[in-house]
Amino acid sequence: MQSCEISSDSTDDPLSRALHRQRQPRIVVIGAGLAGLVTVKTLLENGFANVTVLEAADRIGGRVQSIRQGEATLELGATWIHGANGNPIYHLAEDNGLLEHTTEEERSVGRISLYAKNGLAHYQTNNGKRIPKDLVEEFSDLYNEVYELTQEFFQNGKPVGAESQNSVGIFTRDVVRKKIMLDPYDSESTKKLKLSMLQQYLKVESCESSSPSMDEVSLSEFGEWTEIPGAHHVIPVGFIKVVEILAQDIPNRILRLSKPVRRIHWNGSFQDAKEIPDQADHNQDERPSPPPVCVECEDGECLPADHVIVTASLGVLKKAHETLFSPGLPQDKAQAIQKLGISTTDKIFLEFAEPFWSPECNSIQFVWEDEAQLESLSYTKELWYRKICSFDVLYPPERYGHMLSGWICGEEALSMETCDDETVAEICTELLRKFTGNQNIPKPRRILRSSWGSNPYIRGSYSFTQVGSSGRDVEKLAEPMPYNKNTKAPPLQVLFAGEATHRKYYSTTHGALLSGQREANRLIEQYSLGAETTKPDV
């Protein structure tokens, strides 16, 4: 094990020394995204004072990143508050006036990736033709009917047939195709169009699920994800304002940016005497016991702790869990991390001097007619652009100007991230020309895009229940360590929060928020049992 220097920051100032004498539990929170920040906020509000936040990046927010571009605020990450009734993110935004300028059109109860509920989605083929509105509506009704069937397997305990391979994509493609081909009234050309639209709908679905393909999403578990009632809301001033509200009462001395963690030593594995904090200044009664946990940072600093709350993304855990924890994770927790899914959904913002789309158009959907019979929607690296499912029109233009937001996911999103802005802008312009049939569309005057997959501190957008996983894996990921409550080892040494640890609300900002509150409350309960006050005391 590499030696490292134990931090003395927590005892440098009089306040920290006083807290140390009161034997406050030492708590380290890893990650300053929504889950990490609300964890700290909740702990501070309940009397815990010896708290440190370690954030690997040079900013707070995690997968919330709002970028000011001209008069507009563009969201590279979280964009919508999904549902209002009882949603803590919604109430936080509403109570703090963040929704005052949200227009009625932005309170969408339909598809969550549309920026305005008004207007029409233009479904365009790669031959430059627009699919008639009535045909789109007819197919949409059929698709939504089958989508409802995918929910029944979990919600009604319906058995999954072997032919579906427990895959949402395989089941949906099979059932919809059969219904299309059995329709006696459609011509062959209409059937082909509908089959092509099915592939486009599945691309949209995989972007919303942040899966490489809907073929990888578990059919038996798909219906467990729970939608909060009410509209989806955009925050005009930026989702980052929610982050700032959570962070506003967290002292600067607690929050340490650009502080990546190398290893979490837990269960007393970090007991080399020369690496334990100097205890010479304490008398025998005041001397703290050796820390059950020590957090080793990349820069060599080590922070002793009684509790560590890990809010790293599932993508980071997949990549690093074997080296991040010493001793290694229990086998069932490591397997849960392996079985659960996370992929990348990226946005591509294109700004134009003037709109080339009609006023009623709220999105341009790309339908490749040559993909009607494909069984798999995965492409070679050079053809990454075929995974772009659509460009949505940002609304209202008074706020955003003339801006489109493209969507791409999976391995193809990672391929896009390796290209430079000029290449992506050129390819997107050619796609728009091809699908609209308008060869006069100019190149955008500005491009902005996300890169969540290649971000070493994120490694993906959000989680999904992969084929072979279940809600039990989510719960196993969330279970604190050590497991055995009957052991003499100190309890709740390593806790886990983040959207991937919430069984019903995974993939959402409110899931992240609730998971952070859940873990903070574990510690609050631990230190308030049998106590006259809620003030923590080891």
Side-chain angles (χ1 to χ4, degrees):
M1 180 184 66
Q2 182 177 350
S3 64
C4 57
E5 180 182 351
I6 290 285
S7 170
S8 60
D9 289 354
S10 62
T11 57
D12 279 347
D13 60 280
L15 175 60
S16 294
R17 286 200 298 270
L19 293 175
H20 197 66
R21 284 196 298 272
Q22 292 173 11
R23 305 295 302 280
Q24 280 266 352
R26 299 156 291 188
I27 302 171
V28 175
V29 177
I30 299 176
L34 289 172
L37 292 174
V38 78
T39 300
V40 176
K41 175 179 167 65
T42 306
L43 290 171
L44 293 177
E45 289 174 347
N46 284 272
F48 292 79
N50 196 345
V51 182
T52 302
V53 190
L54 302 178
E55 168 55 54
D58 59 1
R59 63 175 185 85
I60 62 174
R63 284 168 275 180
V64 177
Q65 188 175 13
S66 306
I67 302 295
R68 190 76 176 173
Q69 189 155 312
E71 296 300 312
T73 299
L74 303 179
E75 305 288 5
L76 291 181
T79 304
W80 290 272
I81 301 173
H82 296 309
N85 302 344
N87 185 332
I89 296 283
Y90 171 81
H91 294 297
L92 187 67
E94 179 74 9
D95 292 345
N96 287 275
L98 303 185
L99 303 177
E100 289 179 0
H101 300 290
T102 304
T103 64
E104 184 59 35
E105 288 77 9
E106 290 173 296
R107 295 179 173 90
S108 171
V109 293
R111 226 191 79 201
I112 61 175
S113 56
L114 284 176
Y115 287 84
K117 66 183 180 183
N118 290 352
L120 290 172
H122 286 202
Y123 284 79
Q124 305 281 155
T125 73
N126 56 302
N127 296 315
K129 305 295 184 183
R130 182 181 171 189
I131 300 175
K133 176 175 174 287
D134 57 347
L135 184 57
V136 172
E137 291 177 347
E138 188 177 310
F139 173 77
S140 183
D141 288 344
L142 169 60
Y143 181 87
N144 290 334
E145 174 188 322
V146 176
Y147 178 85
E148 291 302 318
L149 294 179
T150 66
Q151 304 294 294
E152 292 181 1
F153 291 96
F154 178 85
Q155 294 173 358
N156 298 338
K158 186 176 175 181
V160 175
E163 67 279 0
S164 73
Q165 300 176 46
N166 198 24
S167 160
V168 172
I170 293 173
F171 173 84
T172 302
R173 194 179 292 112
D174 182 54
V175 175
V176 173
R177 277 178 173 172
K178 286 177 179 176
K179 289 179 178 290
I180 290 172
M181 298 311 294
L182 290 173
D183 192 323
Y185 302 106
D186 281 347
S187 65
E188 290 304 310
S189 61
T190 296
K191 288 178 180 179
K192 182 182 177 183
L193 265 182
K194 288 183 176 180
L195 291 172
S196 302
M197 289 177 66
L198 167 62
Q199 304 287 43
Q200 194 275 340
Y201 270 56
L202 287 172
K203 290 179 188 178
V204 172
E205 201 79 64
S206 59
C207 279
E208 293 187 356
S209 297
S210 194
S211 60
S213 162
M214 291 308 292
D215 291 7
E216 298 190 25
V217 179
S218 172
L219 181 60
S220 61
E221 306 300 316
F222 194 46
E224 185 166 17
W225 186 87
T226 305
E227 186 169 4
I228 291 180
H232 308 285
H233 291 72
V234 172
I235 303 177
V237 292
F239 217 112
I240 197 66
K241 294 298 181 183
V242 172
V243 172
E244 292 170 359
I245 289 167
L246 292 174
Q248 65 188 3
D249 294 325
I250 298 176
N252 289 335
R253 64 179 177 81
I254 283 178
L255 185 57
R256 305 180 67 182
L257 301 179
S258 302
K259 198 72 172 174
V261 170
R262 175 183 293 130
R263 191 166 291 113
I264 300 166
H265 303 270
W266 63 287
N267 223 20
S269 65
F270 195 85
Q271 296 299 339
D272 188 331
K274 67 182 180 182
E275 295 173 311
I276 293 177
D278 182 11
Q279 302 179 34
D281 293 336
H282 303 279
N283 63 36
Q284 190 66 34
D285 294 332
E286 292 179 336
R287 183 174 299 174
S289 57
V293 187
C294 223
V295 180
E296 179 186 352
C297 299
E298 290 285 358
D299 61 7
E301 182 183 5
C302 293
L303 288 82
D306 298 291
H307 311 283
V308 174
I309 303 176
V310 179
T311 72
S313 74
L314 179 62
V316 168
L317 293 176
K318 279 180 175 288
K319 176 71 175 180
H321 79 81
E322 290 182 351
T323 58
L324 185 60
F325 298 92
S326 176
L329 295 177
Q331 184 178 6
D332 54 359
K333 189 180 286 287
Q335 287 175 342
I337 290 171
Q338 180 183 8
K339 288 196 288 185
L340 292 168
I342 186 169
S343 184
T344 300
T345 295
D346 278 327
K347 299 176 191 172
I348 306 170
F349 293 101
L350 304 178
E351 182 184 8
F352 295 87
E354 297 293 335
F356 60 82
W357 53 90
S358 56
E360 89 285 352
C361 175
N362 67 17
S363 66
I364 301 167
Q365 309 286 328
F366 293 163
V367 179
W368 294 86
E369 290 192 69
D370 57 352
E371 293 184 353
Q373 299 299 333
L374 287 184
E375 295 299 328
S376 174
L377 294 175
S378 60
Y379 307 93
T380 61
K381 191 169 184 177
E382 296 74 23
L383 295 177
W384 63 262
Y385 56 84
R386 279 199 170 230
K387 199 65 168 289
I388 298 176
C389 58
S390 64
F391 276 92
D392 293 343
V393 178
L394 269 66
Y395 183 92
E398 294 79 16
R399 183 190 306 147
Y400 293 106
H402 308 299
M403 189 90 67
L404 298 179
S405 174
W407 296 88
I408 186 171
C409 63
E411 291 298 317
E412 294 79 9
L414 295 177
S415 297
M416 183 275 296
E417 291 180 13
T418 66
C419 299
D420 58 40
D421 282 352
E422 182 70 17
T423 300
V424 175
E426 285 182 2
I427 289 175
C428 289
T429 304
E430 285 304 313
L431 281 175
L432 290 166
R433 289 171 181 167
K434 182 183 186 69
F435 280 85
T436 63
N438 179 1
Q439 297 304 312
N440 297 318
I441 294 175
K443 282 183 62 177
R445 64 182 185 183
R446 207 179 307 181
I447 179 174
L448 179 70
R449 57 203 171 108
S450 59
S451 55
W452 296 113
S454 54
N455 184 325
Y457 304 135
I458 303 292
R459 298 188 179 277
S461 297
Y462 41 87
S463 63
F464 67 96
T465 46
Q466 193 166 240
V467 173
S469 69
S470 72
R472 292 185 297 277
D473 294 305
V474 177
E475 291 190 343
K476 182 55 64 176
L477 174 58
E479 188 173 349
M481 303 188 303
Y483 290 164
N484 191 351
K485 295 181 180 178
N486 297 322
T487 181
K488 292 183 179 180
L492 303 180
Q493 294 178 35
V494 185
L495 303 91
F496 295 84
E499 54 83 13
T501 71
H502 199 291
R503 183 164 180 166
K504 292 199 306 180
Y505 299 140
Y506 59 86
S507 80
T508 67
T509 54
H510 53 273
L513 194 81
L514 290 168
S515 74
Q517 291 175 335
R518 178 194 68 213
E519 298 311 306
N521 285 331
R522 284 193 207 270
L523 294 180
I524 292 167
E525 285 184 27
Q526 176 74 13
Y527 288 100
S528 64
L529 288 176
E532 295 180 3
T533 70
T534 58
K535 184 176 181 180
D537 190 7
V538 178

